[in-house]
Each structure stands twice: as C-alpha cells, then as structure tokens.
Amino acid sequence: MDQRDEEEFAEYFAARRDAVRRTAYMLCGDWHRADDLAQTAFVALHRRWKKIRDRAATDAYVRKTLVRASIDESRRPWRREWQTETLPEPADDTPGLDELVATREDLLAALKEVPPRQRAVLVLRFFEGLDVTSAAKELGCSEGNVKSQTARGLANLKQVLEREVETNG
C-alpha cells in the first residue's frame, strides 16, 4: 500500500475501533476475545484495503468479517467450555456491584448462552440496528433464515432470562 492508503486506513481504524470492539463484545461476551475478533477484522480489512472500491461499504465488510470470525472461533474445540457439577472454588455470597447493574449484565450473560449464529443475528438486528435484508447480506444467507434465527434467538434469550429470574429473583 502507498502512503495515502495507509493514512486512509489509519483514519478509518481510529474512527471505528471502539464501535467494532463493542460489536465484537456483543457477539462473544468477553472483552479479551472481542479484542481478538476486532483485530482479526481489521487485519483482514488492511489486507484488502487497496482493493475496496466502495469505501461506504467498509463498515459492512468489517461487520461481516467480525461475525464470521466470531462463528469460526466458537467452532474451535479449545473454545468449548465444559460444565461440571462442582465449582473449582467456593462462590462468594456477598452481593457485589454486578447485582446493582443486573439488567445489563443479565442480558450479556444470557446472550452468551444463545448459539453463535442466533447471537450474531440478534447483535446485528438489535444492537447494530440492521434490518432483515442488511443482516442477511452480512451473514450471507436468506432473509427467511435471518427471520427464523431471530425468532429462535429471541426465544432462547427469553428462556435464559426467565431461568435467571426464577433462580435469582
């Protein structure tokens, strides 16, 4: 890339870094993984920067790369979590700051339990504000698939949140 392209990319990166990181966090629910996903998306964008003709579509390209990277990461065997009957250390019963901001934390925790594809649809539709058509383009699937994944994702999210309310009040 020449100097002008590098400067354009640097400006885009500086302007969109935080928004991409937040979207990545909504997809995976972990700030460290969100940083990795954002980095993956920006590296892919940097590789293709010179070939991008329509700079207005750059956000869409980054979102699509982010969603794909998130889904790919969730499929990797070392990312799978194993549930056990006993916790490795005793739980702290004292109420903390997390209980004071329960609504947001409960939503993010519940979002982690939704399958990756459904989570991606929910994040794109409700946190990124994309319509069904745009979300379908981002995910490379049909609009009907987006609609069904949205319905299933919302149902799963509702079920997890109801379970949380029953458990913790």
Side-chain angles (χ1 to χ4, degrees), residues 120-131:
V121 170
L122 293 177
V123 169
L124 289 176
R125 294 278 324 278
F126 301 108
F127 293 99
E128 285 292 315
L130 298 182
D131 60 2

Side-chain angles (χ1 to χ4, degrees), residues 21 25 28 30-37:
R21 186 172 178 253
Y25 178 75
C28 68
D30 177 16
W31 283 112
H32 297 290
R33 284 187 60 209
D35 288 336
D36 291 344
L37 291 173

Side-chain angles (χ1 to χ4, degrees), residues 111-142:
L111 202 54
K112 287 180 191 177
E113 293 188 39
V114 175
R117 186 75 172 183
Q118 294 172 8
R119 184 181 326 133
V121 170
L122 293 177
V123 169
L124 289 176
R125 294 278 324 278
F126 301 108
F127 293 99
E128 285 292 315
L130 298 182
D131 60 2
V132 173
T133 306
S134 300
K137 287 180 185 175
E138 291 286 325
L139 295 169
C141 63
S142 69

Side-chain angles (χ1 to χ4, degrees), residues 5-158:
D5 287 336
E6 287 289 343
E7 289 172 3
E8 286 178 1
F9 178 79
E11 288 174 15
Y12 178 81
F13 175 77
R16 299 295 299 155
R17 175 185 51 219
D18 293 336
V20 169
R21 186 172 178 253
R22 282 191 302 270
T23 300
Y25 178 75
M26 296 302 292
L27 288 169
C28 68
D30 177 16
W31 283 112
H32 297 290
R33 284 187 60 209
D35 288 336
D36 291 344
L37 291 173
Q39 179 178 354
T40 300
F42 280 120
V43 166
L45 176 64
H46 188 267
R47 283 190 203 129
R48 305 222 6 122
W49 186 259
K50 196 170 187 173
K51 296 178 184 178
I52 296 175
R53 294 180 191 154
D54 183 12
R55 296 285 190 216
T58 306
D59 286 342
Y61 178 81
V62 171
R63 269 195 308 268
K64 191 172 196 173
T65 305
L66 202 59
V67 169
R68 286 182 177 174
S70 173
I71 291 171
D72 287 347
E73 276 290 310
S74 70
R75 291 179 179 156
R76 298 211 168 117
W78 61 84
R79 291 288 189 190
R80 295 192 185 122
E81 295 177 8
W82 299 95
Q83 294 184 1
T84 62
E85 293 297 320
T86 58
L87 295 174
E89 33 187 74
D92 185 16
D93 292 335
T94 59
L97 180 63
D98 58 339
E99 290 185 29
L100 299 175
V101 288
T103 306
R104 180 168 187 242
E105 292 301 318
D106 289 342
L107 177 61
L108 294 174
L111 202 54
K112 287 180 191 177
E113 293 188 39
V114 175
R117 186 75 172 183
Q118 294 172 8
R119 184 181 326 133
V121 170
L122 293 177
V123 169
L124 289 176
R125 294 278 324 278
F126 301 108
F127 293 99
E128 285 292 315
L130 298 182
D131 60 2
V132 173
T133 306
S134 300
K137 287 180 185 175
E138 291 286 325
L139 295 169
C141 63
S142 69
E143 292 180 21
N145 191 324
V146 170
K147 291 177 186 177
S148 66
Q149 292 292 326
T150 301
R152 289 184 190 126
L154 288 173
N156 284 336
L157 191 61
K158 180 180 177 188

